[in-house]
Amino acid sequence: MSLEGKVAVITGGARGIGLGIAMRLASDGAAIALVDLNADQLADAAAQLTASGAKVCTITADVRNRTAVIDAIETAASKLGGFDIMINNAGIAQVQSIAKITEEEIDKVHAVNVKGVLWGIQAAAARFKADGTKGKIISAASIAGHEGFPMLGAYCATKFAVRALTQCAAREFAADGITVNAYCPGVVGTDMWTEIDSRFAELTGAAKGETFDKFVGSIALGRAQTPEDVARLVSYLAGPDSDYMTGQSILIDGGMVYR
Ligand code: NAD
């Protein structure tokens, strides 16, 4: 129970990797605030966590909105009695050729994946400083933040940006004892990948499932990841064993790329 007495705020926590992280941090002893756009999925996720014995609250909010992120942290801290860990997990996919991408498309993915993470880092650091908490800020980057892939240019650009924000924030907040790191999954079989695969099929004529299978085929360990695989790394980054680590964006991809 390495996180006993800690409070974690998890954006995009209603499903997929975010929910996997919530289940794991709850089993480590943390109280969990789930923040998401989707109120129905939030209720289902909270029911799962509560059934496992976790202390949980839900907050419907859009991470694109700076004030909403600040308010979400305030609500979580007052309902759960503190604030120690910020997980900036919310993100959306974007599949489009660089030759065709529109301003609207790049703005849409940037608003969630870059601005949303920036607001999360900013609001969490401000609250940690005000409370004198040596907090942990952990964000979702990606293998797509380490390597470029065709049809994923805008998405990759946002995930490289998360790595940049992580390094800059780590240096800015180190003197306050706040650490800032990121996790970089490879191919996790969530709803996001179902959407990516469908969009590849629509735009490139690939068969349904073909793009997912092609990506999984390049994983040395020979299988797609689960949210639990990612959550084990996040548990480490959120806990005391990673106290000396900051500014890092850790690949956990089953051996797709080596950095
Ligand atoms: P997902 O689509 O299954 O879940 C994302 C969650 O974020 C959803 O519940 C959604 O409602 C929420 N969300 C989206 N926009 C939001 C907003 N503006 N405000 C609040 N909540 C919002 O995705 P996932 O696969 O679980 O991915 C989670 C994170 O991990 C993302 O940042 C993603 O880019 C990253 N990632 C995923 C993979 C993968 O293979 N699935 C790989 C590498 C990185």
Side-chain angles (χ1 to χ4, degrees), residues 173-259:
F173 304 127
D176 301 295
I178 298 165
T179 62
V180 190
N181 292 292
Y183 50 98
C184 303
V187 181
V188 191
T190 62
D191 292 338
M192 177 179 280
W193 244 106
T194 308
E195 287 161 25
I196 293 172
D197 186 78
S198 305
R199 188 81 176 127
F200 263 91
E202 196 183 307
L203 293 178
T204 70
K208 198 162 173 278
E210 187 181 334
T211 307
F212 181 76
D213 290 347
K214 194 170 137 200
F215 272 80
V216 172
S218 67
I219 299 173
L221 291 180
R223 66 164 176 87
Q225 263 173 285
T226 63
E228 293 71 30
D229 291 323
V230 184
R232 279 191 284 276
L233 169 62
V234 177
S235 165
Y236 168 72
L237 293 174
D241 287 349
S242 65
D243 278 354
Y244 195 66
M245 181 182 285
T246 197
Q248 302 302 312
S249 292
I250 312 292
L251 271 166
I252 176 159
D253 65 356
M256 279 179 84
V257 300
Y258 301 103
R259 292 285 184 276

Side-chain angles (χ1 to χ4, degrees), residues 22-45:
M23 297 293 288
R24 173 59 197 247
L25 299 195
S27 78
D28 291 339
I32 306 290
L34 296 175
V35 180
D36 206 286
L37 274 180
N38 189 319
D40 291 341
Q41 282 186 330
L42 267 179
D44 291 346

Side-chain angles (χ1 to χ4, degrees), residues 11-19 35-38 41 61-65 88-93 111-113 116-117 139-144 155 158-159 183-193 195-196 212 225 227 230:
T11 70
R15 72 180 194 190
I17 296 171
L19 178 55
V35 180
D36 206 286
L37 274 180
N38 189 319
Q41 282 186 330
D62 186 337
V63 299
R64 292 172 294 187
N65 182 324
N88 296 305
N89 171 76
I92 60 170
V112 183
N113 296 9
V117 170
S139 307
S142 172
I143 188 176
Y155 179 76
T158 66
K159 294 303 185 179
Y183 50 98
C184 303
V187 181
V188 191
T190 62
D191 292 338
M192 177 179 280
W193 244 106
E195 287 161 25
I196 293 172
F212 181 76
Q225 263 173 285
V230 184

Side-chain angles (χ1 to χ4, degrees), residues 132-162:
T133 301
K134 295 188 188 321
K136 305 240 179 193
I137 302 175
I138 304 160
S139 307
S142 172
I143 188 176
H146 284 266
E147 186 143 323
F149 297 93
M151 302 297 287
L152 293 169
Y155 179 76
C156 289
T158 66
K159 294 303 185 179
F160 272 77
V162 170

